[in-house]
Structures are given as C-alpha cells and as structure tokens.
Amino acid sequence: MGTAGAAFKICSYFLVPYAIGLLLSAYVFPNDAVVASTATATKQATTTGNIKNLKPVQIPALETDPFSGLKIRLHRNGETDACGETVISGEDMEIAKAMRSSAAFVPTFSPEARPSTNKYSVDAILTHAISSKLMAKDSCGIAPNPEPSNRRTAKIWDMWYHGASTRPWDSEFLKFCDMGDERTTIQTDHEKLVKIPASVENTNAVSYPCHFHTREGVRVTSFEQLADLARLKKSSCANDDYASCSAEPTLDLYAVQAGRVFMFATSYVGETFKLPHITNPQGRKIVLETLSLSPRVFDIHDFFTGEESDAIVDKALTETAETHKLKRSTTGASGRNVIATRTSENAFDTHSKNAQAVKRRSLTTLGFDQYEEGVTDGLQVLRYSKTNGYIPHMDYIEDVAKREQHDYESMLLGSNRFATILLYFTDMPEGAGGETVFVHGWPTNNTDNRIQLSEAM
C-alpha cells in the first residue's frame, strides 16, 4: 500500500504480528480421547493426560436441547463456502453429551460442581466431535493450494501438502487442523493445546485441534457460549429475522488451524460484518465493510471516538522520550532504517490509557479472545505534512539477508505481521491528499472511479 502526502495529516498505525493442565470428566469426553500436549518448539512429544481419576459429572437430560434440529455448517478459516454440514438430531451426538456435561442446560446447577473445561479442552472436544461424529470423514480437509506468489513458495507448499495430506489418519478434517511440525507455529499458548486421537488403529497418532469462531470472529471458548449461540439462531429463525432461516436454523462455525489466526470470510465488495460484541466508548457497535477481496481490506465503522483521537495526538506531540517522541519515520524489523521512500514523522504510544484501549479493541476486532501485549506493536502516530508520503510497500517484514534472529517466514513455522489497522485522525478537504492507496486491491466491479497512482500521490 502507499500513503500520499497531505497539507497536514495525522493517522495512527497499529500492526498485529502473526500470533497469535487439563481436567475433564469422563462423561464429557472419553478418557482415551484426550492427550495433553507437552510439546516444545524444538521437539513435539506427547503424554497421556491424567484424567482417569476424575468422577463423571452426571447431569440429567432435559426436554429442551438447543442443538436438536440445528444445522451446523463448517467452514475452513477465511472461506465463505462451507466444507461440511450436519443436522444434530440424536442425543448420542458427542457435542450434545459435552454440552450436557458442562451444565449448559441446567441454569441452577452449582458452578462448583461443573467439570473443569477451559477453551483448549473445548477446542479438543469440538474437533473430535466434528471429525468422528458430526461430519463425513472426507470433508473439510486441507484446502487446495492457493495461487502461489512465486516458484519458491509453490515448491514449499507442494512438498508440505504431499506429506500432510497422506498421513494415515481417520479424518481429513484433522489433517486440516494439524499442519504438522513443519507449519504449526509455536504460539505462547502452544503447550496448553490438547491433542486428540487421529487414528483408531494407530494409538500413537495424535492431532492438534482447531479452534472455532463465528462469522463475526467471536471465538468459542465454552459449551455454555456455544449453547447460547445455538439458542440465538433458533430464536432468530422462530422470529423470522433471517431469510435464510426459512428451512432450518443454521450455526456457521469457522475452523482455524492450531497456531493460526482467524480471518474474516468475505465474498464481495460491500459485504458488512456487524460485531455486536465490540463497542466504542460511545457505545456504538463496530461494523466492518469489505473494500477489497484480495488482499482483504475493510473499512471499520465507529471504531474510535474524537476524544480518543485528540488524546492520542496530544500525547504524541508532547512526548519527550527519545525512543517514543515524534521524529523521522524508519523501516525494517530493527526500526532503525531511514529511507528516502518514507518521509513521514512518527511517534510511539505504547502504554497510555487511550493507546491500550485502542490496541485491546483492535485485537478483539481481529478475533482474539484474550489480549496479549506481546503480539502487538506499539501504536504508531504518523504525521504527513505537505509533500510527505510513503511509496507502495508491504507491512509484512522481509529479512532476505537473514540478519534477524526471528523467523519471519510464515509460509512455514515463522510468524510475521498479520494485520494493520489504520486510524485517520484528521479529515482532509477533497483533493488535499492524504489517501492510502491499496495498489493491488482494486474492487473488481468498480472500474469507473479508478485513478492513476500518479494522481493519488
């Protein structure tokens, strides 16, 4: 993307790097179906979780089952078309048993007596239920090779695909969830992931689970939450709120591979995503509107307030610390390179009240269920005066000479910047400059309003 100079423009840059003990009742999940991971970044080994001594929590089945008659439609991360679906009709379904055991149907049940389930065990149970009970064994496998950017990446992908797709596992979906030692990025919570059996015949074969999100990016972290989502879909259909509910209520779940990050699945320019779980300080709900399909570019409505903007700008202009004060912008992983193609000024705001609020809101918008400071950059406050600009560039960090200790090659195990959120703090008059141009992101259905790059700069 490229940013043009303006008479005087201030915007904020927020960059998100690619980021991102188990106790279970035997009634929730079979004792032999859970393996606790003790993997490290250098060697991935597994041991069986010590769950055999736990007492099953018996919860009586109730007449109203929020999953009964509900269609679950499964999508691979970032894909609009479903790769599999099922209608839950019987009480013997794994997901229904898990829901009952988590006391989702019993509002008066004592919380202290519920089985201990965290989001990682929820991931394991849902992945196991989908791969072994709810979906066909050959559905939702590894997606076809995306269009490669060059021969090198195509070769890397093809070599990985051959090994990953030929693993003798019982379910293609598990091959999707677990990208193998070559491509499972080691995130900070990696050792908390709960592995599940991948083959009935080979008891040593285990798989990392997927984690699951709604279309709006909300991560499923508990069975109570999943039951609420099911009830919401069924009540919406009962009230005829959605045209798509004419046949049967449908819950869309988006499966994200272990160690990877949720991506919004958008299919057309102008599509909107209402995020009711996120509000700005004025209480307004945040809405995403698709501007480009490839790369994914969204306009975020009502993301921040004028008061936040003023406070962040004032903080940047009055900053005196040498590492954070306003000065010539730099580039590179080290942040020390001054180049002629980037002539703006920038300051950093990392820990002020407003900066933290914006950063937390950013991660929630991107589908993170918990805030983690280590996966964020500082809030960059940029000032573009007249004639300042930044020619087309990638926010993705490249280390061609391999001078950095960090592995930025996310095609394999490395991690890199995952998203950039641009906040525009100054309104410019028409024709005064200041636009950000995504040179590879023109809408395919809007050719009349295109302008040349020289005009934009």
Side-chain angles (χ1 to χ4, degrees):
M1 63 185 181
T3 303
F8 184 81
K9 184 177 184 68
I10 294 180
C11 68
S12 179
Y13 225 31
F14 179 67
L15 299 135
V16 182
Y18 194 110
I20 185 137
L22 172 67
L23 298 177
L24 279 179
S25 162
Y27 186 70
V28 176
F29 207 46
N31 283 340
D32 59 353
V34 177
V35 181
S37 167
T38 60
T40 66
T42 56
K43 184 177 180 180
Q44 294 181 344
T46 58
T47 58
T48 304
N50 184 20
I51 60 175
K52 294 184 177 180
N53 295 327
L54 294 179
K55 281 188 175 182
V57 178
Q58 301 293 341
I59 299 173
L62 300 185
E63 294 179 1
T64 304
D65 183 344
F67 293 102
S68 178
L70 178 73
K71 176 189 288 186
I72 291 184
R73 196 158 49 193
L74 188 66
H75 304 250
R76 287 179 289 243
N77 188 26
E79 296 185 6
T80 55
D81 294 333
C83 57
E85 62 181 40
T86 187
V87 177
I88 298 179
S89 57
E91 293 187 359
D92 60 335
M93 290 296 184
E94 196 73 39
I95 191 171
K97 285 198 279 186
M99 286 301 304
R100 289 191 182 87
S101 299
S102 65
F105 307 102
V106 189
T108 58
F109 192 83
S110 171
E112 292 76 17
R114 294 181 184 181
S116 175
T117 55
N118 57 27
K119 63 183 180 182
Y120 303 105
S121 58
V122 170
D123 294 342
I125 292 171
L126 286 180
T127 300
H128 184 272
I130 289 170
S131 63
S132 63
K133 299 284 186 180
L134 303 181
M135 302 286 175
K137 300 289 186 181
D138 59 352
S139 64
C140 298
I142 301 173
N145 187 3
E147 185 177 340
S149 56
N150 54 56
R151 284 185 181 179
R152 176 179 170 273
T153 57
K155 184 177 181 180
I156 292 174
W157 198 95
D158 289 341
M159 290 179 61
W160 166 80
Y161 177 80
H162 176 74
S165 61
T166 56
R167 287 174 289 185
W169 291 3
D170 295 343
S171 166
E172 293 299 311
F173 179 55
L174 293 182
K175 298 177 185 178
F176 167 78
C177 292
D178 188 329
M179 302 179 78
D181 294 349
E182 298 88 354
R183 294 191 67 190
T184 301
T185 304
I186 309 300
Q187 304 290 5
T188 56
D189 63 350
H190 183 78
E191 293 188 6
K192 297 179 182 179
L193 301 182
V194 179
K195 284 190 172 184
I196 59 177
S199 171
V200 173
E201 295 183 358
N202 181 5
T203 57
N204 293 322
V206 289
S207 166
Y208 285 117
C210 280
H211 50 101
F212 300 87
H213 297 248
T214 66
R215 174 180 177 272
E216 295 74 25
V218 178
R219 180 172 177 175
V220 177
T221 58
S222 72
F223 295 118
E224 289 86 352
Q225 176 197 18
L226 191 61
D228 288 341
L229 291 171
R231 293 186 185 102
L232 179 62
K233 288 295 181 182
K234 294 177 75 171
S235 65
S236 297
C237 287
N239 296 329
D240 200 25
D241 288 344
Y242 299 99
S244 60
C245 290
S246 56
E248 55 193 344
T250 301
L251 176 61
D252 288 280
L253 292 179
Y254 294 77
V256 182
Q257 304 99 317
R260 301 284 162 162
V261 182
F262 170 80
M263 295 186 296
F264 285 97
T266 182
S267 58
Y268 61 91
V269 173
E271 184 177 9
T272 58
F273 296 79
K274 298 179 181 179
L275 311 184
H277 58 294
I278 313 173
T279 59
N280 69 15
Q282 294 177 339
R284 294 181 179 178
K285 306 293 185 183
I286 291 175
V287 177
L288 269 62
E289 179 182 358
T290 303
L291 299 182
S292 169
L293 300 180
S294 180
R296 286 179 174 87
V297 181
F298 302 91
D299 188 6
I300 310 178
H301 300 277
D302 293 319
F303 186 76
F304 66 101
T305 66
E307 290 76 16
E308 287 179 316
S309 169
D310 292 342
I312 291 172
V313 171
D314 290 343
K315 176 74 165 57
L317 294 176
T318 57
E319 180 63 63
T320 58
E322 183 63 29
T323 55
H324 287 58
K325 69 180 184 180
L326 193 68
K327 55 186 176 182
R328 175 69 179 270
S329 298
T330 57
T331 64
S334 64
R336 302 188 187 96
N337 303 322
V338 175
I339 58 175
T341 55
R342 187 184 190 188
T343 56
S344 60
E345 298 173 285
N346 80 276
F348 282 94
D349 187 351
T350 57
H351 291 90
S352 75
K353 176 183 176 182
N354 288 288
Q356 283 290 310
V358 169
K359 289 168 67 175
R360 290 174 182 273
R361 201 176 307 144
S362 297
L363 283 192
T364 304
T365 300
L366 292 170
F368 289 78
D369 64 300
Q370 289 181 314
Y371 179 75
E372 186 176 346
E373 181 70 28
V375 304
T376 69
D377 283 351
L379 203 66
Q380 294 187 41
V381 184
L382 302 173
R383 180 166 69 182
Y384 289 92
S385 297
K386 195 171 184 178
T387 75
N388 287 162
Y390 195 178
I391 69 167
H393 63 284
M394 298 290 289
D395 280 340
Y396 182 96
I397 297 176
E398 292 185 298
D399 182 26
V400 179
K402 305 299 181 185
R403 295 175 180 173
E404 303 292 335
Q405 291 183 350
H406 184 79
D407 178 10
Y408 288 106
E409 182 56 78
S410 60
M411 185 72 178
L412 295 174
L413 285 177
S415 61
N416 209 302
R417 283 173 168 168
F418 170 72
T420 300
I421 295 181
L422 295 169
L423 314 177
Y424 295 92
F425 289 166
T426 308
D427 288 328
M428 302 303 299
E430 188 71 26
E435 295 87 356
T436 299
V437 180
F438 294 91
V439 295
H440 296 295
W442 294 114
T444 56
N445 61 347
N446 183 9
T447 58
D448 296 336
N449 296 325
R450 295 183 183 179
I451 61 175
Q452 296 301 313
L453 179 61
S454 59
E455 297 177 74
M457 296 298 288

